Amino acid sequence: MKPIFLLLFLSLHFVLFAQEKYPENYFRTPLDIPILLSGSFGELRNNHFHSGVDIKTQGKEGLNVFATADGYVSRIKVQQFGYGKAIYITHPNGYTTVYGHLSKFSEPIEKYVKSIQYKKENYETGNLYFKDKKFPIKKGEIIALSGDTGGSGAPHLHYEIRNTASENIINPLLFGLEVKDIKSPTFQSLKVYSLSADARVNQQKKSFQIPIKNTGEGTYIADRITASGVIGFGVSVFDRFNGAPNKNGIYSLEMLVNGKRFYYHDVETFSFSESKYLNLHIDYEHYKKYKRRYQKTHKVTANKLSTYKNLINSGKINIKKGFNYTIEIIAKDFAGNLSAIKIPVAGKESNTIFTQQEDTTNYKIAAKKFNKFTKDNVTIAFPKNTFYKDVFLDFKVDKKIAKIHSPTIPLNKSFTLTFNVAEYSEAEREQLYIASLEYPTYPIYKYTRKRDSTFYTTTKTLGNYTLLSDDEKPTIQLLSFKDEQWLTNAKTINVKISDKDSGIKDYRATIDGEWILMEYNHKKGILTYNFNDKTLVGSKHIFNLVVSDNVGNTNTLSAAFFKK
């Protein structure tokens, strides 16, 4: 057990060293409850690393959210997805804190934001920027109530700390945010990869999983393998905090070869612009096929993540005949808890002869050039550097479904997909839209631009796409009252809206002909208006709601109500 204790000591030393760079006592906690996390900083998410921590709010909305230090509100943003309702506070020490998925702002901020929403007649405000005198903030001041707005999957507070000058995001735990954690990371599985043309593992060229056994106290042992040539590894691993069942991300990953560090990365800090390289950091093909993420302990050339530290041969291991190797992969969480897998490797030449199968596709992508192909009224156009490397692409059109390879290759940029719709009548074109068939039983609308006889969209995902038709209106259902009903004590109007095909694009609500703000909970499909927003004149009022979908089908509901 001595090596484990030594690694624990070195891990704690590293964390303490890293913390010295950041003020640990400057920021208070943003909530007055025990801090439990449902999401850790740098956690692996879809196409990006998590840029903050997700703090549990005891399964409910409406908890007081506090400014964690003196400063001023420098930005506010309200959007349907993303962070939902969010506040950005700039502090005099060079950092900015971000608070997302809020349900409501503090009174002066809420009043200002609603004035903008009513002026624009739009729930989404876009970015609202402020100087330091508009909304000065004191440490511990209530700035909002917690919620579930935006892309949140459940009530929680998303909390970030950024370098104000560079906008780089920094792990909030480095600033003294305390989370109880005595649990070591858990390794789920291990993969090995043949990385050179002559590489073999257990007489095989392909990548595959290696069985591992948990021997207790954070130690794992893998089955012995034989190998030759350049190989690499990948691990599926997660961490848990005390008091929470959530599978969170780890803080660092390290690989030793016969005791020498070949690979290391941590999630101390990174920039938004590099977050997309997550798709090169993981085994992207495996994830798209099986929905499990493997973090590779080797780096491909195109990967520009700054989180890697002093790699040897990019983490790739050259296994030589007659030599034995002990590979150790170490996962640590922020608190210094660690787990390690030992992998015994014997250098042995393979007896198998592997012949690379010749790719016969006509669609070869030169990554550094513009590439464009057309087949059966479908055109795909890839700007230069859309792909990270040269590839052969499968492309065919079958029963009007454009099959553009499979979504197992990560893209650096979006490409353009165009359908020629000259064969359709003008009336038919009005109902058509481009849809992704990544989930065949649930087609997803892709933002469709229409120009005469061509429809096009842009996307960063390969796969199957087609044209679908939507000729049905959205549905509207009053939830809180019936036509001609008295609403004397009612605080809100609630309406459920939905569209089963192209999806909801827009809605507009009025009372007595004047626009009203209805907040849309897209997860529940419910619109809500708060009567406190406006003073109604008279007792009889007309509520009107117009809802449109993404191809222009509209539905209208009008109802009278009485309220003094």
Side-chain angles (χ1 to χ4, degrees):
M1 296 303 296
K2 287 184 180 180
I4 290 291
F5 287 123
L6 176 60
L7 287 169
L8 178 60
F9 171 78
L10 292 174
S11 171
L12 290 171
H13 175 75
F14 169 78
V15 170
L16 291 172
F17 174 75
Q19 289 174 333
E20 290 176 3
K21 297 191 293 184
Y22 305 102
E24 286 192 59
N25 300 313
Y26 189 88
F27 296 101
R28 58 153 288 166
T29 61
L31 296 171
D32 268 352
I33 58 172
I35 301 299
L36 297 176
L37 299 187
S38 59
S40 59
F41 182 82
E43 198 168 272
L44 309 181
R45 299 286 177 92
N46 286 337
N47 304 313
H48 70 284
F49 294 95
H50 190 220
S51 58
V53 292
D54 289 340
I55 305 176
K56 286 175 171 286
T57 55
Q58 301 174 336
K60 56 189 177 183
E61 302 181 44
L63 299 185
N64 289 334
V65 178
F66 301 92
T68 54
D70 291 354
Y72 68 93
V73 175
S74 53
R75 189 186 350 167
I76 294 171
K77 188 173 185 179
V78 178
Q79 57 185 333
Q80 192 60 57
F81 296 94
Y83 292 172
K85 295 182 179 181
I87 290 180
Y88 300 68
I89 298 178
T90 295
H91 306 281
N93 67 340
Y95 297 101
T96 295
T97 52
V98 184
Y99 313 76
H101 307 306
L102 307 170
S103 63
K104 188 176 181 180
F105 302 115
S106 63
E107 187 174 345
I109 299 174
E110 182 80 6
K111 183 177 179 181
Y112 177 84
V113 170
K114 284 199 173 182
S115 72
I116 298 297
Q117 291 171 316
Y118 272 91
K119 182 179 179 180
K120 293 184 174 183
E121 295 191 355
N122 197 327
Y123 170 72
E124 296 195 323
T125 62
N127 284 310
L128 305 175
Y129 294 98
F130 305 96
K131 301 294 184 181
D132 56 356
K133 293 182 180 180
K134 182 69 175 179
F135 294 113
I137 297 293
K138 290 294 184 182
K139 183 175 184 177
E141 181 178 340
I142 297 174
I143 56 171
L145 300 179
S146 67
D148 188 25
T149 57
S152 168
H156 71 275
L157 175 68
H158 176 87
Y159 178 63
E160 289 180 17
I161 299 182
R162 303 181 182 182
N163 181 298
T164 302
S166 68
E167 278 283 297
N168 281 10
I169 329 101
I170 306 165
N171 195 325
L173 300 186
L174 288 162
F175 294 83
L177 184 67
E178 294 185 1
V179 184
K180 291 182 179 180
D181 184 7
I182 60 171
K183 297 183 177 181
S184 298
T186 299
F187 283 106
Q188 292 179 291
S189 50
L190 170 71
K191 282 191 74 174
V192 63
Y193 302 84
S194 297
L195 301 178
S196 61
D198 62 341
R200 303 291 184 273
V201 180
N202 289 356
Q203 308 291 326
Q204 300 181 63
K205 173 65 177 175
K206 64 182 182 179
S207 64
F208 59 91
Q209 293 184 25
I210 304 173
I212 58 174
K213 181 181 180 182
N214 185 349
T215 59
E217 297 186 24
T219 59
Y220 296 73
I221 185 70
D223 284 1
R224 178 181 176 274
I225 61 173
T226 61
S228 61
V230 180
I231 68 172
F233 293 91
V235 291
S236 175
V237 59
F238 67 86
D239 187 46
R240 281 195 171 107
F241 296 98
N242 290 18
N246 308 77
K247 293 181 178 180
N248 301 115
I250 59 173
Y251 181 76
S252 69
L253 191 65
E254 181 178 18
M255 182 179 68
L256 308 179
V257 180
N258 291 339
K260 185 176 183 179
R261 178 193 280 182
F262 264 55
Y263 173 92
Y264 178 83
H265 90 264
D266 63 42
V267 288
E268 176 187 339
T269 181
F270 58 88
S271 68
F272 282 104
S273 63
E274 64 182 306
S275 194
K276 65 181 179 180
Y277 295 114
L278 172 137
N279 289 335
L280 296 179
H281 173 71
I282 66 171
D283 183 337
Y284 187 79
E285 181 178 1
H286 189 101
Y287 170 67
K288 295 301 287 187
K289 287 181 177 178
Y290 308 111
K291 301 306 177 186
R292 171 170 286 190
R293 294 184 179 95
Y294 280 85
Q295 299 194 57
K296 295 182 291 189
T297 55
H298 56 278
K299 184 178 82 72
V300 299
T301 303
N303 189 343
K304 298 179 182 179
L305 277 173
S306 64
T307 53
Y308 301 117
K309 306 288 194 306
N310 302 320
L311 307 187
I312 294 178
N313 196 32
S314 297
K316 301 170 185 177
I317 310 164
N318 189 7
I319 303 297
K320 297 181 179 180
K321 178 184 177 182
F323 288 84
N324 292 319
Y325 302 82
T326 298
I327 315 298
E328 189 168 18
I329 299 176
I330 304 157
K332 305 173 188 175
D333 61 25
F334 182 83
N337 305 303
L338 63 85
S339 293
I341 301 177
K342 285 191 175 181
I343 313 156
V345 180
K348 180 180 179 182
E349 285 188 0
S350 172
N351 296 322
T352 60
I353 299 175
F354 178 82
T355 303
Q356 180 71 43
Q357 184 177 358
E358 185 177 353
D359 200 317
T360 58
T361 176
N362 293 322
Y363 306 104
K364 182 178 180 179
I365 296 289
K368 294 184 178 181
K369 295 182 179 180
F370 173 78
N371 298 268
K372 183 178 180 179
F373 309 107
T374 299
K375 186 177 182 65
D376 297 342
N377 293 322
V378 177
T379 299
I380 50 177
F382 301 95
K384 63 180 182 179
N385 297 319
T386 298
F387 291 83
Y388 290 106
K389 62 181 181 179
D390 295 355
V391 297
F392 284 94
L393 202 68
D394 294 323
F395 174 41
K396 62 181 178 180
V397 180
D398 183 18
K399 297 179 181 179
K400 296 189 177 181
I401 297 175
K403 299 183 177 181
I404 311 164
H405 207 75
S406 65
T408 55
I409 300 176
L411 301 185
N412 182 43
K413 295 180 179 179
S414 295
F415 70 96
T416 301
L417 167 64
T418 303
F419 286 84
N420 187 315
V421 295
E423 65 181 282
Y424 297 93
S425 69
E426 189 170 330
E428 289 173 324
R429 293 179 198 177
E430 289 183 0
Q431 310 300 324
L432 290 175
Y433 64 96
I434 301 172
S436 165
L437 300 180
E438 183 173 358
Y439 307 100
T441 58
Y442 184 64
I444 299 174
Y445 169 84
K446 300 295 295 182
Y447 178 51
T448 306
R449 301 169 178 85
K450 300 184 177 183
R451 288 184 181 175
D452 299 324
S453 61
T454 59
F455 290 2
Y456 69 97
T457 190
T458 56
T459 177
K460 284 186 72 173
T461 305
L462 302 174
N464 296 344
Y465 295 86
T466 193
L467 290 171
L468 294 179
S469 181
D470 179 3
D471 59 2
E472 293 190 23
K473 298 178 181 180
T475 61
I476 306 175
Q477 179 187 1
L478 277 174
L479 298 179
S480 54
F481 72 97
K482 297 179 180 179
D483 191 24
E484 300 285 337
Q485 183 176 336
W486 276 91
L487 300 178
T488 303
N489 298 318
K491 295 181 180 180
T492 61
I493 290 177
N494 298 297
V495 183
K496 186 174 181 63
I497 62 175
S498 64
D499 188 84
K500 70 175 185 177
D501 292 322
S502 62
I504 301 295
K505 179 182 180 181
D506 200 7
Y507 61 90
R508 179 181 174 82
T510 61
I511 292 180
D512 301 335
E514 293 188 6
W515 185 86
I516 59 171
L517 173 65
M518 297 200 81
E519 297 195 14
Y520 181 39
N521 184 325
H522 64 271
K523 288 158 280 193
K524 297 179 179 179
I526 295 177
L527 292 168
T528 300
Y529 168 69
N530 192 316
F531 278 117
N532 289 332
D533 282 2
K534 283 191 173 186
T535 301
L536 300 178
V537 178
S539 59
K540 184 174 182 179
H541 307 281
I542 303 298
F543 171 76
N544 190 76
L545 175 64
V546 180
V547 182
S548 60
D549 64 21
N550 280 296
V551 300
N553 299 310
T554 62
N555 196 3
T556 301
L557 178 144
S558 291
F561 66 90
F562 298 88
K563 186 176 178 65
K564 291 183 179 180

